[in-house]
Amino acid sequence: MHRGIAALVISCFCASPFTSAQDFKILDREVALHGFVSQGFVYTNTNNWLTMDSNQGSPGMTEFGFNLSTNVTDKLRVGAQLYDRNLGQLGQYHPSLDWAVADYRFASWFGIRGGKVKTALGLYTDTQDLDFLRVFALLPQSIYPTDLRDATIAHLGGDIYGSISLKRRLGDLSYTAYAGHRSDSIYSGYPYLLSQFETIFTSFGGLQYGADLRWRTPMKGLLIGASRLNQDTEGKGTSVNQLNRGGGRIPYSESSKSDWTNQYYGEYRVSKLRIDAEYRRYLRDELIFGATSENVDDVRGWYVSGAYRVAKRFEFGSYYSHYSITSITYGVLAGLLPNQTDTSLPANHVYDKVISGRVNLNRFWNVKVEGHFMDGYGSSTYPDGFYPQVNPQGFKPNTDALVVKTGVSF
Amino acid sequence: MKRPIVLLVAAASIVFASTHLLADDLRVIANFSVRPDTISDSDLKHIFLEEKISLADGDHVEPVLEKNGPTHATFLQEYLGMSEDDLENYYRTLLFTGRGSQPKVLGSDAEVVAYVARTRGAIGYVSGAARVEGVKTLAIWIPGRERALITRVEPYYPETLKQLGIRGTVRLRILISAKGNVEAVELLGGNPILGESATEAVKKWVYAASKSRTVAEVSIAF
């Protein structure tokens, strides 16, 4: 927390209206240094949210990143970004290499990039940390759960990508196909959620592969697209047999039987107005404890958002985010984790109505104020913002939240 | 032999005459290494959005931006369809995801001209009043934004060609003066015999007046 605030203060100091990217030369090549930092404050009226003591008001929402990049040749670019965050109990200021990429573009229609690469999934997966790009302090959590950032943010592997102009002015198609290894932080939402069952992960990750196709249509400002992600993950650690708690710690393992995401999206920009809509279905079928148990989570989310720039320095926006989950458990753990199939119950959904305002103090520094009005608190078997560990008194069905966030980028 | 020369002259006329843009107060300039003299608005947009790093001939191109000002605003609105904030966010998205870089941004017309003149593949924009020595000015072709046709003369279709079954569609690219007269015609496709007749007719067409010369494509069926 203190480190985050210190970084914010330093960045604010550096980000005078005349500050821009810091360019310098290494071996006679121009190298660009860019960065961002943000600090949030969250207050909720009932349940604690996003692993913070938000009911008391919490400033535990800090993140920052810095990157270096250079063009080695006309077609080859290299760069890397360091990222760190603290979100309540998550992140805990353990820095990570966010991306580190060598990108070679043969032609407009074909390029390759390799290394640790940001994953193209829907409109905002790869830019979800870049708070300065949008009016909202938090993206719709039904599609972009900030507590599960690690799950989809990047892969260690490679992409092929390109852009093709369609004939007869039918617009442009952009594609990305990728494969690689996902490596989650043990300070992420899923390991934290399972800590309620005394499960401690030592590793979590696995294969990811998928594709994204987006069409910039002939209608000015309209983009539509679809993404698909397949995963084969494995988590290892230790746990406690909940049926024999005196038996000490035992090895824990879980692995994917089936794990896929389909996402469809559209974006429309006209003048100062921007409208987005996305739908995601995530099916996660996990074998637990060496296949003695199986848990199937079916997560469906969608949102519609609008943002309008009222003046040069002021924007406001609103969205409705709809999240629901069903969870079915088979085998030994079936008795401990009752099936949840009724999405009308607050335990199986989060419906979030949001209004937000953003003021740009200068080109580099913004302040956001956002109100969330949430119905439901989601499942206890899958991370969705509300965790039993920070709500030991149980959940209330509704939560209102105030988020105030400020950020600097250069 | 005569017809190819006519076509060559017509093509050259398009190249040398199309030095004005749809927006009179703006010129798109390029380093002499950029071989084409005409560029479509679509290609221009792709270059500035870093989606295109080479033109059809395979030569490298790179965008150069001018900082703020009316020229910058006109260019963004006319050719990119984006506000300054949108464009800044676009480049930031590329930068912070490792997918691209911030193009060179320069403070004045003179700086842009100087940079474009010395940088292979550079394409930039300056105000219409700027001195553009050492660079070439590109004509912008905007398909689908044709001017209203006021006078249309139908091409002559000789009986002998009809009887021989020579028919088809001819595609032409035409350069229209600010007053609306057709100044030059280039045959893009179709039977050359029909193309000659179509060219003669199209030269008599009159379009609505405009602020500047424009380029258009027409198809004529025989």
Side-chain angles (χ1 to χ4, degrees):
Chain A
M1 174 50 200
H2 296 299
R3 278 185 284 177
I5 291 172
L8 182 67
V9 170
I10 291 167
S11 296
C12 289
F13 176 75
C14 294
S16 75
F18 306 104
T19 308
S20 185
Q22 306 300 306
D23 290 346
F24 53 92
K25 285 199 168 185
I26 296 177
L27 297 174
D28 210 31
R29 293 198 182 285
E30 280 194 8
V31 178
L33 167 66
H34 293 266
F36 63 93
V37 58
S38 69
Q39 173 63 50
F41 172 85
V42 180
Y43 171 77
T44 51
N45 65 339
T46 53
N47 300 310
N48 284 316
W49 192 32
L50 296 171
T51 75
M52 291 178 275
D53 289 327
S54 54
N55 193 226
Q56 303 296 314
S58 172
M61 182 187 256
T62 310
E63 64 180 349
F64 46 92
F66 299 94
N67 66 64
L68 288 168
S69 60
T70 188
N71 291 321
V72 180
T73 69
D74 292 342
K75 295 182 176 178
L76 177 63
R77 193 180 60 256
V78 296
Q81 178 163 290
L82 196 69
Y83 175 82
D84 201 356
R85 80 162 177 175
N86 181 59
L87 178 69
Q89 307 296 318
L90 310 180
Q92 298 184 20
Y93 294 115
H94 287 84
S96 63
L97 187 63
D98 195 27
W99 52 263
V101 172
D103 186 328
Y104 191 88
R105 185 178 283 197
F106 294 89
S108 308
W109 59 272
F110 184 70
I112 56 173
R113 55 174 81 97
K116 189 168 186 185
V117 188
K118 287 266 184 172
T119 302
L121 178 65
L123 285 174
Y124 299 118
T125 292
D126 52 351
T127 59
Q128 59 186 289
D129 305 324
L130 309 181
D131 191 58
F132 49 86
L133 293 178
R134 54 186 163 264
V135 63
F136 303 110
L138 281 167
L139 283 168
Q141 297 296 290
S142 58
I143 304 276
Y144 301 105
T146 189
D147 43 344
L148 278 176
R149 171 193 179 274
D150 287 10
T152 53
I153 193 75
H155 52 275
L156 190 63
D159 291 10
I160 59 170
Y161 67 95
S163 179
I164 300 160
S165 290
L166 301 174
K167 292 191 173 175
R168 302 184 185 187
R169 295 179 80 81
L170 287 174
D172 306 297
L173 276 181
S174 299
Y175 71 90
T176 306
Y178 56 90
H181 187 272
R182 155 189 169 180
S183 183
D184 291 31
S185 162
I186 58 171
Y187 304 100
S188 185
Y190 188 62
Y192 180 73
L193 181 84
L194 263 60
S195 70
Q196 69 176 303
F197 305 117
E198 298 172 83
T199 300
I200 300 171
F201 279 103
T202 52
S203 68
F204 194 96
L207 176 68
Q208 281 189 330
Y209 59 95
D212 175 83
L213 183 67
R214 53 190 69 191
W215 178 32
R216 196 188 293 150
T217 69
M219 185 174 163
K220 193 175 176 183
L222 178 65
L223 177 142
I224 57 175
S227 304
R228 166 81 181 191
L229 167 65
N230 289 300
Q231 301 187 90
D232 186 4
T233 60
E234 185 173 28
K236 287 184 176 173
T238 60
S239 189
V240 170
N241 185 346
Q242 300 296 317
L243 302 172
N244 177 24
R245 295 175 61 86
R249 298 199 71 76
I250 56 174
Y252 176 84
S253 69
E254 63 171 69
S255 58
S256 300
K257 185 176 176 184
S258 176
D259 192 315
W260 55 261
T261 303
N262 282 342
Q263 194 157 329
Y264 309 96
Y265 53 89
E267 172 195 274
Y268 181 59
R269 293 182 186 203
V270 56
S271 187
K272 298 169 183 173
L273 177 67
R274 176 177 183 151
I275 298 169
D276 297 339
E278 292 194 77
Y279 170 82
R280 175 189 281 185
R281 183 179 177 196
Y282 174 44
L283 187 88
R284 179 174 177 276
D285 186 347
E286 291 285 293
L287 301 174
I288 307 168
F289 279 124
T292 58
S293 297
E294 181 177 349
N295 174 245
V296 182
D297 289 327
D298 189 349
V299 180
R300 300 179 194 219
W302 59 268
Y303 73 86
V304 178
S305 79
Y308 188 78
R309 184 183 292 274
V310 180
K312 176 77 179 164
R313 293 179 182 274
F314 179 63
E315 285 177 271
F316 76 89
S318 179
Y319 65 74
Y320 175 70
S321 168
H322 187 106
Y323 170 92
S324 65
I325 181 169
T326 60
S327 183
I328 298 172
T329 306
Y330 306 98
V332 176
L333 295 178
L336 284 173
L337 302 170
N339 292 341
Q340 299 169 253
T341 55
D342 184 356
T343 58
S344 68
L345 298 174
N348 296 332
H349 71 240
V350 181
Y351 306 148
D352 190 7
K353 299 182 189 107
V354 176
I355 52 170
S356 187
R358 165 178 169 158
V359 176
N360 298 321
L361 301 176
N362 58 43
R363 278 183 66 203
F364 309 100
W365 187 4
N366 67 70
V367 177
K368 300 175 182 182
V369 180
E370 188 164 284
H372 289 252
F373 305 94
M374 289 175 276
D375 168 352
Y377 50 84
S379 163
S380 59
T381 60
Y382 192 72
D384 32 34
F386 296 95
Y387 293 79
Q389 296 98 313
V390 288
N391 290 285
Q393 76 289 357
F395 292 108
K396 302 281 192 304
N398 298 307
T399 310
D400 295 342
L402 171 70
V403 182
V404 180
K405 203 172 182 184
T406 184
V408 170
S409 63
F410 64 90
Chain B
M1 185 63 194
K2 187 180 172 187
R3 190 169 43 78
I5 291 174
V6 169
L7 291 175
L8 194 62
V9 170
S13 300
I14 289 174
V15 164
F16 292 115
S18 306
T19 54
H20 288 272
L21 306 173
L22 285 179
D24 265 351
D25 49 356
L26 188 79
R27 285 170 189 262
V28 174
I29 58 171
N31 183 270
F32 279 112
S33 64
V34 176
R35 279 184 273 186
D37 297 285
T38 303
I39 188 170
S40 72
D41 62 331
S42 168
D43 277 351
L44 193 64
K45 182 173 181 175
H46 289 306
I47 290 167
F48 275 82
L49 295 185
E50 297 186 14
E51 292 169 345
K52 214 178 229 313
I53 58 165
S54 59
L55 292 174
D57 55 21
D59 285 346
H60 168 74
V61 286
E62 76 165 70
V64 182
L65 294 158
E66 192 163 312
K67 197 175 186 178
N68 306 324
T71 307
H72 179 60
T74 304
F75 180 80
L76 297 193
Q77 188 177 353
E78 186 75 20
Y79 297 113
L80 303 190
M82 299 171 100
S83 70
E84 195 173 335
D85 291 323
D86 285 342
L87 186 67
E88 186 170 324
N89 278 347
Y90 179 83
Y91 287 134
R92 285 173 149 198
T93 300
L94 296 182
L95 268 172
F96 282 90
T97 55
R99 296 202 173 124
S101 52
Q102 167 76 48
K104 200 79 179 172
V105 181
L106 297 162
S108 68
D109 283 347
E111 285 179 48
V112 172
V113 171
Y115 183 83
V116 170
R118 70 171 183 269
T119 308
R120 185 177 65 84
I123 295 180
Y125 50 87
V126 291
S127 70
R131 288 170 63 92
V132 288
E133 289 168 0
V135 297
K136 69 199 290 187
T137 301
L138 297 178
I140 311 301
W141 176 45
I142 308 180
R145 203 193 277 185
E146 283 79 19
R147 289 151 60 177
L149 181 61
I150 295 169
T151 304
R152 179 184 171 110
V153 176
E154 293 304 325
Y156 175 59
Y157 189 14
E159 274 305 315
T160 47
L161 296 184
K162 279 185 196 169
Q163 285 166 3
L164 289 170
I166 296 175
R167 59 168 66 98
T169 300
V170 172
R171 287 195 308 116
L172 304 169
R173 180 177 293 158
I174 59 179
L175 179 69
I176 310 163
S177 72
K179 288 183 179 176
N181 301 314
V182 175
E183 292 188 341
V185 183
E186 179 190 7
L187 180 64
L188 296 177
N191 190 313
I193 300 172
L194 299 174
E196 205 164 349
S197 176
T199 299
E200 286 307 311
V202 166
K203 280 181 178 174
K204 295 170 187 161
W205 290 9
V206 179
Y207 285 84
S210 172
K211 286 195 294 182
S212 61
R213 287 190 179 94
T214 58
V215 180
E217 269 188 24
V218 294
S219 296
I220 296 175
F222 286 88

